[in-house]
Amino acid sequence: MKLSDIEEKDLKKGQPEKVEENATVNILDVLAEEGISVQDLADTALEMYVPHPGLETREKADALFKRELKYALSDPNLCLLIYSGVLLEREGRAGTLPNLSKSSYEKDLTFIIADEVLGTSIATYISGSKGAFEFVRFDKQKPGILAKLGPFMDDVIGGLIGGVSSNMYSRGMAEFVGTD
């Protein structure tokens, strides 16, 4: 049987096109509970700042990073990916992750790659392959707050910063040449 032979069923027919009510929890509040502020994210991104056309100064980069971050975090799917990392981190600290001991969690063993997959997925979701590349840069260097976070959150936040900073550079360049 070919994929094209399978009959499609619309099991979600009649769903609204957009969210009908405001969320009760903001991902920035969740991150704040974990000790992560918007300024921490921006400061970490700017530790690896490289001047580009449109981002000639750290001040411009800081402002554009925060604008891109706000835009990225307006996407509930991204917020849910980040939240999944928060929950994994909390369960790891409590020693209640399935099939992983608290000791293995604390050692951030190299054979556990779910954290890397989550970080890569977040960066790629935000800005494609360029975001994944930026995630790797941040993951290897662990600047700023990344060095202080647990095994899941360092990759989740690294993915967020990598994806957003990639968009920051792209948008800065586009605005510089006037093609945004």
Side-chain angles (χ1 to χ4, degrees), residues 99-114:
N99 294 33
L100 189 66
S101 70
K102 185 173 183 175
S103 173
S104 292
Y105 155 81
E106 290 169 348
K107 291 176 185 171
D108 194 10
L109 298 172
T110 56
F111 70 87
I112 302 299
I113 62 163

Side-chain angles (χ1 to χ4, degrees), residues 14-57:
Q15 285 193 354
E17 294 286 322
K18 59 183 181 177
V19 177
E20 295 178 334
E21 55 191 59
N22 291 330
T24 58
V25 178
N26 184 302
I27 195 64
L28 289 175
D29 294 334
V30 173
L31 291 176
E33 289 172 15
E34 297 296 312
I36 304 166
S37 69
V38 168
Q39 195 59 53
D40 291 329
L41 300 173
D43 290 346
T44 299
L46 292 178
E47 279 194 36
M48 296 186 62
Y49 163 73
V50 177
H52 275 61
L55 293 173
E56 297 85 1
T57 67

Side-chain angles (χ1 to χ4, degrees), residues 64-80:
L64 190 50
F65 178 86
K66 288 175 180 172
R67 188 177 89 194
E68 290 296 320
L69 179 66
K70 182 178 180 181
Y71 176 72
L73 294 179
S74 70
D75 184 334
N77 292 296
L78 175 61
C79 294
L80 292 171

Side-chain angles (χ1 to χ4, degrees), residues 25 27 72-73 75-87 118 122 125 156:
V25 178
I27 195 64
L73 294 179
D75 184 334
N77 292 296
L78 175 61
C79 294
L80 292 171
L81 286 169
I82 295 167
Y83 191 60
S84 68
V86 170
L87 295 177
L118 193 52
I122 288 169
Y125 183 81
V156 166

Side-chain angles (χ1 to χ4, degrees), residues 119-151:
T120 302
S121 297
I122 288 169
T124 304
Y125 183 81
I126 296 170
S127 61
S129 297
K130 291 187 288 185
F133 174 77
E134 281 292 285
F135 165 67
V136 171
R137 281 188 349 116
F138 281 95
D139 191 41
K140 287 181 182 268
Q141 295 292 315
K142 300 270 191 254
I145 196 165
L146 298 181
K148 301 172 188 166
L149 297 174

